[in-house]
Structure formats: C-alpha cells, structure tokens
Amino acid sequence: MQKTKLVLVMVASLAIIASAWLLSVGIKHFRSGSPQITVTGVAERNIKSDLIVWTIDVSALNSNQEIAYNEHQSNREQIVKYLMASGITEEQIRYSSTNVSNEYDQYYDDNTQKYMRTFRGIQLSSEIIVSSNDVDNVEVIYQKISELLKQGVNFTARAPRYYYTQINTLKMEMLQEASQNAYARAKTIAEGSNSSLSDLASSTMGVFQIVGLNSEEDYSWGGTFNTSSKLKTASVTVRSSYKIK
C-alpha cells in the first residue's frame, strides 16, 4: 500500500516538474516573440483625364448596293469635314473597316402561320474614332455634332471615353503615399500603447482603382477603372505589418 502511495507521489512530482518546465519554455518563447501591428494605409488623388476617345458609328441602308455605298461614303466624308472644321486634326482620326450586311424585316403571317421576312436593303457601317488630348474641345464637338442630322447625315455618336495616360507614374507615387500613411497609422497606435515601431515585417499592395469623382460607383475587389467620367478619383491601399519594441 505504501509502495503504491510512493509511486503516486513520484508520478505527481514528475508531472509538476514537467508542467513547470513547459510553462517556463512557453514564457521564454512568448518573451522572445515579436509582437506586431498590422495596419492598412490609404492614398487618394483626384485626377483629370488627359485623353478622350470618341467613336462615331456611320451607316447607310438602301436596296441598291451602289447607292448604299455612295451614301455611306458621303456620310463619312461630311462627318470628317465637320470634325476637321471644328479643330480635329487628321492624325487624331482613325477609321474602322466597313461592314456590309443584308437587312430584313420579320413579321408573322396569319395565313401561313409562319414568321416571314422581307428584304430591307444592304447596310454599310463603319466607325470613325477620334483620339485627342484636347479633351475640352472634343467634348464641345460631341455636344454639337447633332447639327449634322439636320443635313440628312446618318450616324450615331457614342458617349466619349476618358483616360489618364500617366497611370503607371500615378500608381507608383500613390503606393509611396499609402505606405507612408500606413507607417503613420502604425506609429500612432504604438505610441498610444507606450511602445515604438521597429522593423517592417511585411507589406502588400491592395487594390488600385479609379472611379468617377463624387460618383456612387461601387469599389470592387478586382479594381474598378472608370472611363465615363472626365474627373476621377484614384485610390490604392497598402497593408503593412510592423514589429514593435
């Protein structure tokens, strides 16, 4: 009986010693660890587009192929003449190839109880594409080109698209700003906790995106690149972790 008690005492003693050793190792590792502060830095800039791209769809429809071709050419020539008279240079104008297609009208025939179609004519269509750094002037032309409709010119003017051509330089500058913002945030948190920052442990770039200025566009995890607004807001985030001491 006493022998059994002795064994139990020895086992209990060994358990206490082992627990104390594990606790001391754990405390040692805890003290030797590197607590970190992880923050997200943000940078935003309002920018104005420096390139405008405007597409005009030109078309002509006639049952006679030659007449359709001549009408299409006349429409295109009148539009280009108007553009160049408004300050657009020849170097700023590009042309797509001309598409030719047969157009039909479809209707339901009650007698045959089938859908039928009749030949409308041959349609020719192409695009005139204006690319210019004179954004304001092209906007004015876009707003006034409907005057050509009164002259019988057949076309459709799409809404212009706006771009910022210095996007790579902008991104690099904003990454630096976002990193500085992350450091400032981490430093504030550390000082508020009576600590100070040490080395940078890690840093990753978040999403870079551009939305319309003061718009209600949703930010996207994949990045949003607005082309419908002349004035835009660019933003980027940086997630950084700093060791503290």
Side-chain angles (χ1 to χ4, degrees):
M1 184 72 176
Q2 292 197 2
K3 189 173 183 181
T4 302
K5 288 182 178 181
L6 181 60
V7 171
L8 291 174
V9 170
M10 292 178 64
V11 170
S13 299
L14 288 174
I16 293 172
I17 293 171
S19 299
W21 179 78
L22 289 172
L23 181 61
S24 65
V25 170
I27 292 175
K28 180 180 178 182
H29 285 175
F30 173 78
R31 288 177 177 171
S32 63
S34 299
Q36 297 180 0
I37 294 176
T38 300
V39 294
T40 299
V42 181
E44 284 190 350
R45 279 201 198 179
N46 293 332
I47 56 176
K48 180 179 179 180
S49 302
D50 57 3
L51 175 67
I52 186 170
V53 179
W54 176 33
T55 301
I56 304 168
D57 297 302
V58 188
S59 63
L61 176 68
N62 198 285
S63 58
N64 183 284
Q65 181 173 319
E66 183 177 355
I67 294 176
Y69 174 81
N70 290 334
E71 287 180 353
H72 177 265
Q73 286 296 105
S74 177
N75 289 336
R76 188 156 74 170
E77 289 171 3
Q78 290 184 73
I79 292 171
V80 172
K81 181 180 179 180
Y82 180 87
L83 294 175
M84 297 185 72
S86 302
I88 301 297
T89 65
E90 188 174 351
E91 292 74 19
Q92 295 171 334
I93 300 175
R94 293 184 292 113
Y95 307 94
S96 71
S97 58
T98 301
N99 295 320
V100 181
S101 61
N102 293 329
E103 298 297 314
Y104 298 87
D105 285 325
Q106 184 171 284
Y107 65 95
Y108 184 77
D109 189 336
D110 292 329
N111 294 326
T112 61
Q113 295 186 348
K114 293 181 180 180
Y115 282 99
M116 311 292 288
R117 64 177 188 171
T118 57
F119 180 66
R120 286 181 59 203
I122 299 173
Q123 178 165 287
L124 283 79
S125 60
S126 63
E127 297 175 348
I128 298 174
I129 305 164
V130 177
S131 299
S132 174
N133 297 115
D134 193 349
V135 177
D136 295 335
N137 182 48
V138 174
E139 280 187 322
V140 172
I141 301 170
Y142 164 69
Q143 293 164 3
K144 293 183 176 181
I145 196 171
S146 58
E147 297 171 354
L148 286 177
L149 294 174
K150 300 176 183 178
Q151 302 176 26
V153 181
N154 193 6
F155 69 93
T156 302
R158 302 187 201 175
R161 290 168 290 151
Y162 299 89
Y163 300 92
Y164 186 73
T165 60
Q166 304 299 316
I167 199 73
N168 290 330
T169 301
L170 175 69
K171 185 183 293 186
M172 295 299 292
E173 292 174 351
M174 292 183 62
L175 277 173
Q176 182 177 8
E177 293 173 11
S179 298
Q180 292 171 345
N181 180 257
Y183 178 80
R185 292 188 182 198
K187 185 178 180 181
T188 299
I189 295 173
E191 291 175 349
S193 305
N194 295 321
S195 301
S196 59
L197 294 185
S198 182
D199 299 331
L200 175 68
S202 64
S203 185
T204 56
M205 173 183 167
V207 176
F208 177 83
Q209 51 194 347
I210 299 175
V211 298
L213 179 65
N214 298 325
S215 71
E216 296 182 355
E217 290 179 77
D218 292 329
Y219 285 81
S220 168
W221 288 109
T224 299
F225 289 89
N226 174 288
T227 60
S228 61
S229 303
K230 177 170 63 175
L231 303 178
K232 312 172 190 289
T233 298
S235 65
V236 68
T237 59
V238 170
R239 186 174 177 83
S240 301
S241 296
Y242 295 89
K243 299 177 182 178
I244 59 175
K245 54 184 178 181

